[in-house]
Amino acid sequence: MGWFGRKKPAAGDSAAAAPQAEAPQAEAPSLVALARRTLAERGVETTIEPQEDDPTRLQLRGADGQVYLLGNLAGLVHGQDPRTQADIVARHFDAMVQGEREPDAEDLTADELRDQIRLRIMSVSTPDALDLSYARPFAPGLVLALCLDQPTMVKTLSAGTVAKLPLSLDELFALGQLRTDAEPVEERAEIAPGVFVVEGSSMFTASKAVNLPALFGAAPYGTVFAIPQRHLVLAVPIQADSLTAINTLAGALLQVLSAEGGLPGGVLSRNLLFARGGEVSVVSDIERESGVMRIEIDERFQAALEEAGAV
């Protein structure tokens, strides 16, 4: 069962070696041992090291410097029997090893780049050593970066790589947006009056939020939305009766964030966001002690609600 009635992404989806933010903790020694053994069987010897932003979260580093984050695997193997865990871990690393044989971005032709380029929303706190200085701001705590969607994995492009490509940065962003907009989705539904959901197995489903009108239609007063993880967009296009829907959206967001076993790829954003006129702002706050989400109405948000007749 998926978040709102759709089947969750298959385990093979985790094979994409994409960065992740606030992923489930991978501190169980059994997972670390299983991951190291699986990689060793594939000729990759690793050492164990904590992640700088959270020493309790572990990652593996290969002799060649390749980093293997375990957050995705922690969520995928959670609650599974040992044999299933071993199968999941084997598929994950088989795809990663195969993905390392994919051609580098610099070796692709312009036409191949046009086909594979994708735009992706990423957290600024993503634990990754890549230089993303070229990334463009999307919302507080979130940026837009460029990825290659290759047959066996997703590769995030660094600033050094982008500078060597035969297409300009503006063209890469424009094409990446078009390709992300075209990614298929498996579910579109109105889960409560005025509250809409889009779900998909694509790694770029949440990144479709860059172009909300393409997902939910025109919203002259703006849209309140949430992208808690990479496969999901929740949204309320503001109308005259949207206050109740916004509260329902907040509850749905908390439901997703509290999912047992964590989220695929980790948490992308814990916030409700408000988009209007090309500007995206944060309009929520979660109290640390109580876990209660408070909706924060700033001047932009207040003006939109008043113009729509919602207040």
Side-chain angles (χ1 to χ4, degrees):
M1 182 65 68
W3 302 109
F4 299 97
R6 181 184 64 80
K7 182 180 179 182
K8 284 188 179 181
D13 175 59
S14 70
Q20 56 212 297
E22 300 180 36
Q25 291 188 358
E27 57 189 12
S30 58
L31 173 59
V32 174
L34 178 58
R36 293 192 73 198
R37 184 175 73 242
T38 303
L39 284 167
E41 291 169 351
R42 286 149 181 79
V44 181
E45 297 298 330
T46 58
T47 57
I48 305 169
E49 58 183 35
Q51 296 183 32
E52 292 183 1
D53 62 329
D54 184 353
T56 68
R57 294 168 58 203
L58 304 178
Q59 63 187 20
L60 304 180
R61 183 178 295 275
D64 61 354
Q66 173 71 43
V67 173
Y68 299 91
L69 300 171
L70 301 180
N72 282 359
L73 280 174
L76 289 168
V77 305
H78 177 79
Q80 302 290 344
D81 62 83
R83 185 167 184 171
T84 302
Q85 289 185 3
D87 288 343
I88 291 171
V89 173
R91 288 196 301 270
H92 179 89
F93 288 121
D94 278 343
M96 286 194 70
V97 171
Q98 177 62 35
E100 290 169 3
R101 302 191 183 105
E102 299 280 3
D104 292 332
E106 299 96 318
D107 298 326
L108 297 176
T109 67
D111 284 342
E112 288 172 327
L113 278 172
R114 292 186 181 99
D115 182 59
Q116 295 184 21
I117 198 72
R118 299 291 188 276
L119 189 67
R120 187 172 185 186
I121 299 173
M122 296 176 60
S123 169
V124 296
S125 61
T126 295
D128 197 294
L130 283 178
D131 177 3
L132 297 181
S133 56
Y134 71 90
R136 296 176 175 179
F138 175 66
L142 298 170
V143 295
L144 301 177
L146 296 169
C147 298
L148 291 183
D149 188 17
Q150 297 186 314
T152 59
M153 69 186 303
V154 170
K155 292 181 180 178
T156 304
L157 301 183
S158 68
T161 296
V162 167
K164 299 174 184 176
L165 300 181
L167 303 177
S168 70
L169 189 59
D170 285 343
E171 186 174 6
L172 288 168
F173 269 94
L175 287 167
Q177 178 71 70
L178 288 172
R179 296 301 186 194
T180 294
D181 286 349
E183 286 286 307
V185 299
E186 280 76 54
E187 182 72 20
R188 295 175 185 265
E190 186 174 6
I191 59 172
V195 183
F196 299 89
V197 60
V198 166
E199 296 183 83
S201 57
S202 167
M203 298 274 286
F204 305 99
T205 302
S207 299
K208 288 174 170 287
V210 179
N211 188 2
L212 288 168
L215 284 180
F216 306 108
Y221 305 112
T223 302
V224 179
F225 68 102
I227 43 175
Q229 51 107 323
R230 64 194 182 194
H231 301 289
L232 181 65
V233 182
L234 295 159
V236 174
I238 294 177
Q239 301 175 12
D241 54 353
S242 289
L243 284 180
T244 299
I246 292 169
N247 281 309
T248 301
L249 173 61
L253 172 57
L254 289 174
Q255 175 188 341
V256 174
L257 292 173
S258 63
E260 183 179 357
L263 304 179
V267 176
L268 180 56
S269 174
R270 296 182 179 276
N271 299 312
L272 288 180
L273 303 165
F274 171 60
R276 189 186 190 191
E279 182 179 350
V280 182
S281 56
V282 174
V283 292
S284 70
D285 182 57
I286 299 178
E287 297 179 359
R288 285 179 176 267
E289 295 184 1
S290 66
V292 173
M293 176 173 287
R294 182 176 64 252
I295 297 174
E296 300 184 334
I297 301 179
D298 59 15
E299 291 185 4
R300 283 181 67 247
F301 193 15
Q302 179 71 28
L305 293 171
E306 291 178 352
E307 290 172 31
V311 294

